[in-house]
PDB file of all heavy atoms in Angstrom:
ATOM      1  N   VAL A 511       2.985  13.009  -5.839  1.00  0.00           N
ATOM      2  CA  VAL A 511       4.445  12.916  -5.975  1.00  0.00           C
ATOM      3  C   VAL A 511       5.101  14.295  -6.062  1.00  0.00           C
ATOM      4  O   VAL A 511       4.517  15.251  -6.570  1.00  0.00           O
ATOM      5  CB  VAL A 511       4.857  12.066  -7.204  1.00  0.00           C
ATOM      6  CG1 VAL A 511       4.479  10.611  -6.994  1.00  0.00           C
ATOM      7  CG2 VAL A 511       4.237  12.591  -8.494  1.00  0.00           C
ATOM      8  N   LEU A 512       6.303  14.377  -5.528  1.00  0.00           N
ATOM      9  CA  LEU A 512       7.139  15.575  -5.655  1.00  0.00           C
ATOM     10  C   LEU A 512       8.087  15.332  -6.817  1.00  0.00           C
ATOM     11  O   LEU A 512       8.738  14.287  -6.882  1.00  0.00           O
ATOM     12  CB  LEU A 512       7.947  15.810  -4.371  1.00  0.00           C
ATOM     13  CG  LEU A 512       7.134  16.009  -3.090  1.00  0.00           C
ATOM     14  CD1 LEU A 512       8.056  16.062  -1.873  1.00  0.00           C
ATOM     15  CD2 LEU A 512       6.289  17.279  -3.163  1.00  0.00           C
ATOM     16  N   THR A 513       8.148  16.265  -7.767  1.00  0.00           N
ATOM     17  CA  THR A 513       9.041  16.108  -8.918  1.00  0.00           C
ATOM     18  C   THR A 513       9.754  17.430  -9.190  1.00  0.00           C
ATOM     19  O   THR A 513       9.488  18.433  -8.526  1.00  0.00           O
ATOM     20  CB  THR A 513       8.240  15.685 -10.178  1.00  0.00           C
ATOM     21  OG1 THR A 513       7.232  16.668 -10.446  1.00  0.00           O
ATOM     22  CG2 THR A 513       7.573  14.334  -9.994  1.00  0.00           C
ATOM     23  N   GLY A 514      10.627  17.416 -10.178  1.00  0.00           N
ATOM     24  CA  GLY A 514      11.321  18.651 -10.567  1.00  0.00           C
ATOM     25  C   GLY A 514      12.221  19.159  -9.463  1.00  0.00           C
ATOM     26  O   GLY A 514      13.136  18.460  -9.027  1.00  0.00           O
ATOM     27  N   ASN A 515      11.946  20.378  -8.996  1.00  0.00           N
ATOM     28  CA  ASN A 515      12.759  20.968  -7.929  1.00  0.00           C
ATOM     29  C   ASN A 515      12.111  20.863  -6.555  1.00  0.00           C
ATOM     30  O   ASN A 515      12.641  21.395  -5.578  1.00  0.00           O
ATOM     31  CB  ASN A 515      13.034  22.454  -8.241  1.00  0.00           C
ATOM     32  CG  ASN A 515      13.882  22.611  -9.489  1.00  0.00           C
ATOM     33  OD1 ASN A 515      14.828  21.848  -9.691  1.00  0.00           O
ATOM     34  ND2 ASN A 515      13.544  23.557 -10.334  1.00  0.00           N
ATOM     35  N   SER A 516      10.964  20.210  -6.466  1.00  0.00           N
ATOM     36  CA  SER A 516      10.305  20.043  -5.164  1.00  0.00           C
ATOM     37  C   SER A 516      11.057  19.007  -4.333  1.00  0.00           C
ATOM     38  O   SER A 516      11.693  18.112  -4.883  1.00  0.00           O
ATOM     39  CB  SER A 516       8.867  19.575  -5.351  1.00  0.00           C
ATOM     40  OG  SER A 516       8.148  20.497  -6.134  1.00  0.00           O
ATOM     41  N   GLY A 517      10.960  19.142  -3.006  1.00  0.00           N
ATOM     42  CA  GLY A 517      11.587  18.150  -2.146  1.00  0.00           C
ATOM     43  C   GLY A 517      13.090  18.095  -2.307  1.00  0.00           C
ATOM     44  O   GLY A 517      13.735  19.083  -2.670  1.00  0.00           O
ATOM     45  N   GLU A 518      13.651  16.901  -2.075  1.00  0.00           N
ATOM     46  CA  GLU A 518      15.106  16.719  -2.131  1.00  0.00           C
ATOM     47  C   GLU A 518      15.419  15.264  -2.458  1.00  0.00           C
ATOM     48  O   GLU A 518      14.519  14.432  -2.543  1.00  0.00           O
ATOM     49  CB  GLU A 518      15.727  17.100  -0.779  1.00  0.00           C
ATOM     50  CG  GLU A 518      15.277  16.198   0.374  1.00  0.00           C
ATOM     51  CD  GLU A 518      15.834  16.627   1.735  1.00  0.00           C
ATOM     52  OE1 GLU A 518      16.265  17.793   1.861  1.00  0.00           O
ATOM     53  OE2 GLU A 518      15.827  15.794   2.657  1.00  0.00           O
ATOM     54  N   ILE A 519      16.691  14.970  -2.645  1.00  0.00           N
ATOM     55  CA  ILE A 519      17.143  13.577  -2.736  1.00  0.00           C
ATOM     56  C   ILE A 519      17.927  13.318  -1.452  1.00  0.00           C
ATOM     57  O   ILE A 519      19.033  13.834  -1.275  1.00  0.00           O
ATOM     58  CB  ILE A 519      18.057  13.338  -3.964  1.00  0.00           C
ATOM     59  CG1 ILE A 519      17.360  13.752  -5.266  1.00  0.00           C
ATOM     60  CG2 ILE A 519      18.492  11.870  -4.029  1.00  0.00           C
ATOM     61  CD1 ILE A 519      16.135  12.945  -5.639  1.00  0.00           C
TER      62      ILE A 519
END
Side-chain angles (χ1 to χ4, degrees):
V511 292
L512 300 173
T513 58
N515 295 319
S516 302
E518 64 183 19
I519 304 295

